[in-house]
Amino acid sequence: MITDIVNIKYVNEFVSIAGKGPICEGIDMFLNSVEDYLGNCLSYFNKKGFEEAGKELHKIKGAASSIGLTRVSAKAKEIELELLKDRDTYGLNSRVMELREIILADTKELRNFVMTLSGM
Amino acid sequence: MNIYNTCEQKLKQWISRLYQKSVVYLSAVLGFFLTLFITVVHCVLGYFFNGIITVFDVIQPLCYGALLTPFIVFVFNQVFSDVENARTQVRDMKKSLAKTYVAMINQRDRNLTLTKDHEVLRGQKIKVEKQLEEQATFFSAIVDLTPDIIMYRDESGNIKGCNDNMLKLLGLTNAAQLVDLLKEDHELDDIFAKFDDILKLNKSDVTYESTINEVVYQMRKRPAVNAEGNLIGIMLYGHDITKLKYEQDLLEKTSRDKSNFISTLSHELRTPLNGIVGLSDILMQTGHFDGDDMRNLKAINVSAVTLGNIFNDVIDLNKFERQTFNVIYEKVKWRDFLDDFETLAHLMTEQKNLDFNFNVEGEVSEYLLLDPTRLRQILWNLTGNAIKFTKKGGITISVRQHMDGDSAELTFSITDTGIGIAKEEQEKIFGLYYQVEGTKQSTGTGIGLHVTRNLCQALNGSVRVESELGKGSTFTVSFTFKKTEHEIEKKEIKSSLRVLLVEDVDLNILVARTMLEKLGHKVFVAKTGQEAISLFKSEKIDLALLDMQLPDMTGFDVADVFVNELNCSVPLIALTANVINDRKEYEKHHIDGVMNKPLSLTKLVENLQKYQE
């Protein structure tokens, strides 16, 4: 269900005022920056910089919610909390892979949804 | 018998004296006869060899005898004296021996008695030792049988023993292994030694909770004190409360879930109710309705408000239970507050055709600092109750107010002519779920007055009741609120604001900037705290939106620099992706508002409009 993935109300509101362009630009920007965030996150984690790794996940959470990706935002928050709780016993790699797959799938869904909306 | 003894003794004395004298006499006789014998022998021998006896033959031996006799007497006397002494000594010795023998016999008898006593005592000791051994066995069995852990140590903390369950818990077989384990495992040692210092100081029990190998124990320690009052050891008893803890957690969670559910439900129901209240207010003010329509509209309005109050009570009750209740003070135009209250109370009394009087005495400042929602809830609860329990007559609300320095002292008295409350019930009515029995009107939730009293306490106020059964009641609530000044400086209304956006995530910048620019504002972006400070210095900014988590500083730090170092007077609005728990934290840093991310267009417009004015 698209409603589980995207904050429909928010995206509609945003598109109605700003048009489709900025949100599509936002999706591209998100996809470009999220690789850096995930890479930094794993790098910090491997150096036992758990707080810093958590901050990278926090950025993903904030950025995802800025373009209405609710599921990605929630998943990033979930991983951030688990990481800060379990620290070096946490299996971050598999969770990052999982998050990356969700990001790819959900951004595609969001882009398709935005295209269905009326506006510039 | 005595005469006999006396005679015997005298006889013995006489014999003894005689014996003493006889020795001398006997020696003398012996000397005489010896002299005579020598004289005769000398005469015979003289006659035999010479054939004649001369005078010299007689005189010569006599002279010898006279010379020898004293010597013989002395020798005999000496010999007899020695013999007598020896005899006396023997006799004395015999007497002494007899005495010694008697003493020995007595001692033997005494020894026999003592031996017998000793045997008895030994028997008793063996019996007591056996009993003690049996008791120790029983206690040991009890100590080992308990599912809890027991350990005892001397006053220096050295382990003196423990029960089987303690060993089992730690995978050990004897107390010596426990000693070794505690030398290595300092964490475990700390658990057992916790609060020892306090216990030694106070010589009283201490209790605490600890988890060992995933088992939760309630540890209880008691000092072992001897008769002189000196500490001789420490007993530790750990009761396994894992299950209890689990059940307690489960119970708390269930209770929390229940309260949360009711609270959430009330929240959810309150939202549409607000719509009903608001819309019915608007409809009443249009002037299109009169007669029955108007009455029905008022009924809708009052019913919705009443229902809203019940939900508020439920939500606050939940907050009290969870100790998350917070009073939110804000500036309130007092006259408007009273007018709203009067209007609603009037509407409520109209529904039951009751008389209504509203009196205000005294003056206070135009603006007061108070929690209007909670004060309204208190007054509505009391007014609602007054109306509910009054069939005929009326309701009188008296407000007495006066200023005392910066403080406004307010007293509300809500008087009804209802059924009244019996004296013995007057304190009980503030209890949770308490309802006066036998009253047909008691159809409420039973939480209204309980919440009211809690709310009054939270607002540092008080509530009291005076009532007479069958005649009516008066509930009086009193509060003291601080006055506050209304900011009358008029701000220039700007259609376009120069907004400083402090945000480090590009995407968030894109979204916020797009929104702000589409709304006609000029946006300056800073991606770090330092950039924000530079921009604030160089540009004329009307409003700043601050992300709370920047790469180099927190949003609070940036706000502190703006206010304290750059004398910032423009509104600061925090942007956060976290749940806003405590607005006071933001107020401390002079942040005027908080907005959740992602930015909602509606909220953004609302906030900007507020500061545009």
Side-chain angles (χ1 to χ4, degrees):
Chain A
M1 285 281 282
I2 187 74
T3 48
D4 297 334
I5 297 169
V6 175
N7 183 344
I8 304 289
K9 187 182 168 208
Y10 175 75
V11 175
N12 274 329
E13 200 179 46
F14 191 85
V15 170
S16 70
I17 184 171
K20 292 177 191 174
I23 200 153
C24 288
E25 196 186 328
I27 294 169
D28 292 337
M29 193 184 276
F30 179 67
L31 284 172
N32 286 334
S33 52
V34 83
E35 285 302 326
D36 288 341
Y37 295 150
L38 289 174
N40 291 342
C41 177
L42 285 173
S43 170
Y44 285 130
F45 179 78
N46 291 331
K47 292 177 203 162
K48 296 195 183 297
F50 305 114
E51 301 291 340
E52 289 81 1
K55 279 182 184 169
E56 295 300 310
L57 286 163
H58 195 80
K59 284 181 190 171
I60 297 173
K61 176 201 152 197
S65 63
S66 285
I67 50 171
L69 289 170
T70 45
R71 186 166 73 160
V72 173
S73 177
K75 182 60 81 179
K77 184 182 175 185
E78 182 185 315
I79 298 172
E80 181 194 350
L81 293 177
E82 286 172 355
L83 167 69
L84 292 176
K85 188 181 163 203
D86 297 342
R87 299 194 165 240
D88 51 352
T89 59
Y90 188 60
L92 185 67
N93 284 355
S94 59
R95 299 289 272 158
V96 164
M97 294 292 286
E98 190 188 343
L99 180 62
R100 185 180 276 123
E101 281 173 20
I102 292 173
I103 289 169
L104 292 173
D106 288 4
T107 46
K108 198 174 168 187
E109 286 290 331
L110 174 62
R111 204 186 292 274
N112 291 338
F113 172 70
V114 171
M115 288 304 128
T116 63
L117 298 174
S118 57
M120 290 181 291
Chain B
M1 194 69 182
N2 287 335
I3 296 167
Y4 173 76
N5 285 338
T6 312
C7 291
E8 188 186 0
Q9 279 178 358
K10 282 189 175 177
L11 186 64
K12 278 181 181 175
Q13 285 171 358
W14 185 77
I15 290 170
S16 179
R17 276 200 300 275
L18 186 66
Y19 177 75
Q20 291 281 337
K21 286 177 182 174
S22 67
V23 171
V24 177
Y25 297 150
L26 195 64
S27 300
V29 170
L30 189 63
F32 173 74
F33 278 105
L34 191 62
T35 306
L36 187 64
F37 175 69
I38 294 166
T39 306
V40 172
V41 169
H42 197 268
C43 287
V44 170
L45 285 174
Y47 181 74
F48 181 70
F49 287 110
N50 301 321
I52 188 169
I53 299 169
T54 63
V55 176
F56 287 104
D57 288 333
V58 176
I59 292 170
Q60 197 175 13
L62 282 174
C63 289
Y64 290 142
L67 287 171
L68 280 171
T69 298
F71 179 71
I72 290 165
V73 170
F74 174 74
V75 169
F76 263 81
N77 190 31
Q78 197 63 41
V79 168
F80 273 95
S81 179
D82 287 347
V83 168
E84 181 56 21
N85 282 342
R87 199 179 64 85
T88 308
Q89 279 178 359
V90 166
R91 196 180 60 218
D92 290 346
M93 201 175 284
K94 272 183 182 175
K95 278 183 185 173
S96 174
L97 277 171
K99 279 182 184 172
T100 308
Y101 179 73
V102 171
M104 278 173 67
I105 295 293
N106 289 340
Q107 188 61 41
R108 194 196 64 182
D109 290 347
R110 277 199 296 275
N111 284 350
L112 274 172
T113 312
L114 284 171
T115 307
K116 277 181 190 168
D117 290 348
H118 179 71
E119 284 298 318
V120 171
L121 286 171
R122 197 161 156 262
Q124 285 174 348
K125 187 187 166 199
I126 290 168
K127 200 176 166 186
V128 169
E129 278 176 352
K130 198 179 168 191
Q131 281 176 348
L132 281 172
E133 199 178 325
E134 280 175 3
Q135 278 187 349
T137 309
F138 290 145
F139 280 123
S140 176
I142 292 166
V143 162
D144 286 337
L145 270 175
T146 174
D148 302 319
I149 54 172
I150 295 171
M151 186 171 81
Y152 38 101
R153 291 173 297 148
D154 64 16
E155 72 279 14
S156 307
N158 303 314
I159 293 166
K160 306 304 284 181
C162 65
N163 72 338
D164 283 355
N165 205 43
M166 170 74 92
L167 298 174
K168 197 174 155 191
L169 173 76
L170 301 171
L172 306 172
T173 52
N174 56 55
Q177 287 180 341
L178 177 61
V179 174
D180 294 339
L181 176 69
L182 293 185
K183 279 179 190 164
E184 291 168 10
D185 191 341
H186 297 294
E187 201 177 325
L188 189 64
D189 192 35
D190 287 346
I191 289 176
F192 292 135
K194 202 170 180 182
F195 300 129
D196 272 1
D197 43 354
I198 295 172
L199 180 135
K200 285 177 184 173
L201 192 70
N202 298 336
K203 287 184 184 159
S204 59
D205 290 6
V206 290
T207 308
Y208 57 94
E209 278 181 22
S210 285
T211 304
I212 304 170
N213 293 346
E214 296 180 356
V215 184
V216 186
Y217 286 100
Q218 187 188 53
M219 300 290 195
R220 194 182 192 98
K221 278 186 189 174
R222 174 164 292 187
V225 178
N226 65 10
E228 287 78 39
N230 299 321
L231 183 79
I232 55 167
I234 297 168
M235 314 296 293
L236 179 140
Y237 183 90
H239 180 50
D240 181 354
I241 54 164
T242 314
K243 200 176 169 193
L244 195 72
K245 269 279 185 200
Y246 171 75
E247 285 172 358
Q248 189 185 358
D249 288 348
L250 197 69
L251 202 66
E252 279 175 7
K253 187 180 176 303
T254 310
S255 172
R256 216 166 33 241
D257 288 349
K258 180 209 74 181
S259 296
N260 286 346
F261 170 72
I262 294 171
S263 176
T264 310
L265 191 70
S266 301
H267 263 296
E268 293 302 319
L269 291 172
R270 202 169 54 172
T271 309
L273 263 178
N274 287 342
I276 298 171
V277 173
L279 288 172
S280 53
D281 272 340
I282 292 167
L283 287 175
M284 283 192 290
Q285 285 164 19
T286 56
H288 297 319
F289 300 95
D290 52 15
D292 285 348
D293 289 343
M294 190 61 181
R295 259 195 306 282
N296 292 339
L297 206 49
K298 285 178 180 176
I300 290 170
N301 186 269
V302 169
S303 302
V305 169
T306 309
L307 201 53
N309 286 337
I310 293 169
F311 292 151
N312 283 342
D313 284 347
V314 172
I315 292 163
D316 280 345
L317 186 67
N318 182 36
K319 284 181 181 169
F320 286 128
E321 279 179 2
R322 296 174 62 193
Q323 296 180 332
T324 56
F325 182 85
N326 282 322
V327 177
I328 301 162
Y329 286 97
E330 58 184 83
K331 188 168 62 185
V332 172
K333 194 170 183 185
W334 184 237
R335 190 63 244 177
D336 289 355
F337 181 90
L338 283 182
D339 287 346
D340 288 347
F341 173 48
E342 183 184 357
T343 307
L344 189 87
H346 194 196
L347 277 176
M348 287 163 83
T349 49
E350 268 186 355
Q351 306 300 307
K352 284 186 75 173
N353 292 321
L354 296 171
D355 296 334
F356 179 67
N357 291 302
F358 192 88
N359 310 311
V360 181
E361 287 174 30
E363 289 292 330
V364 288
S365 283
E366 190 180 3
Y367 289 91
L368 298 178
L369 206 57
L370 53 90
D371 185 334
T373 312
R374 268 50 191 262
L375 182 59
R376 204 175 285 127
Q377 203 174 328
I378 292 166
L379 297 174
W380 283 351
N381 271 345
L382 297 177
T383 310
N385 273 353
I387 294 167
K388 192 198 291 181
F389 293 104
T390 306
K391 275 186 177 176
K392 59 181 181 183
I395 308 294
T396 302
I397 297 174
S398 303
V399 185
R400 290 189 301 282
Q401 50 186 25
H402 80 274
M403 289 302 297
D404 182 7
D406 283 349
S407 303
E409 292 181 353
L410 309 169
T411 303
F412 294 82
S413 296
I414 296 148
T415 306
D416 64 61
T417 54
I419 58 171
I421 306 157
K423 195 87 182 162
E424 61 273 17
E425 302 274 0
Q426 287 178 11
E427 184 53 33
K428 294 178 188 170
I429 55 170
F430 292 102
L432 186 56
Y433 304 124
Y434 189 82
Q435 289 181 334
V436 179
E437 282 181 15
T439 51
K440 287 179 185 172
Q441 292 90 340
S442 58
T443 52
T445 56
I447 62 174
L449 283 176
H450 178 74
V451 170
T452 298
R453 183 153 76 171
N454 282 338
L455 287 174
C456 284
Q457 285 166 354
L459 295 178
N460 297 320
S462 63
V463 56
R464 64 177 190 276
V465 59
E466 289 164 46
S467 183
E468 199 175 334
L469 205 56
K471 289 194 174 175
S473 310
T474 299
F475 282 82
T476 307
V477 284
S478 304
F479 305 96
T480 302
F481 296 121
K482 290 277 176 200
K483 74 169 186 183
T484 181
E485 296 303 324
H486 182 51
E487 289 167 15
I488 49 170
E489 59 177 289
K490 286 185 180 169
K491 287 182 181 171
E492 188 187 346
I493 297 174
K494 290 185 175 182
S495 57
S496 172
L497 297 172
R498 295 164 67 84
V499 179
L500 172 61
L501 175 65
V502 189
E503 169 67 69
D504 63 323
V505 179
D506 288 336
L507 190 56
N508 293 345
I509 295 169
L510 173 77
V511 173
R513 178 153 60 186
T514 306
M515 283 187 181
L516 288 163
E517 285 177 349
K518 288 287 176 187
L519 292 168
H521 305 295
K522 186 166 175 57
V523 182
F524 299 88
V525 176
K527 292 174 93 168
T528 63
Q530 285 307 328
E531 276 182 38
I533 293 163
S534 301
L535 268 173
F536 194 84
K537 284 179 185 168
S538 60
E539 299 293 336
K540 191 176 180 315
I541 301 295
D542 296 321
L543 182 141
L545 298 175
L546 297 174
D547 179 34
M548 288 290 102
Q549 213 171 58
L550 297 166
D552 56 343
M553 300 165 86
T554 68
F556 290 136
D557 296 335
V558 177
D560 287 343
V561 174
F562 281 6
V563 175
N564 300 329
E565 294 177 22
L566 305 176
N567 298 321
C568 163
S569 58
V570 302
L572 303 177
I573 300 174
L575 303 177
T576 178
N578 296 326
V579 178
I580 303 160
N581 285 324
D582 189 3
R583 284 181 189 270
K584 283 181 186 164
E585 185 63 24
Y586 293 93
E587 285 166 12
K588 252 183 3 195
H589 296 273
H590 305 282
I591 292 176
D592 304 277
V594 193
M595 287 174 70
N596 268 120
K597 285 197 281 188
L599 285 177
S600 148
L601 190 65
T602 322
K603 289 272 176 200
L604 184 63
V605 170
E606 265 177 27
N607 270 283
L608 292 174
Q609 273 176 353
K610 195 163 129 192
Y611 295 111
Q612 272 175 310
E613 288 165 7

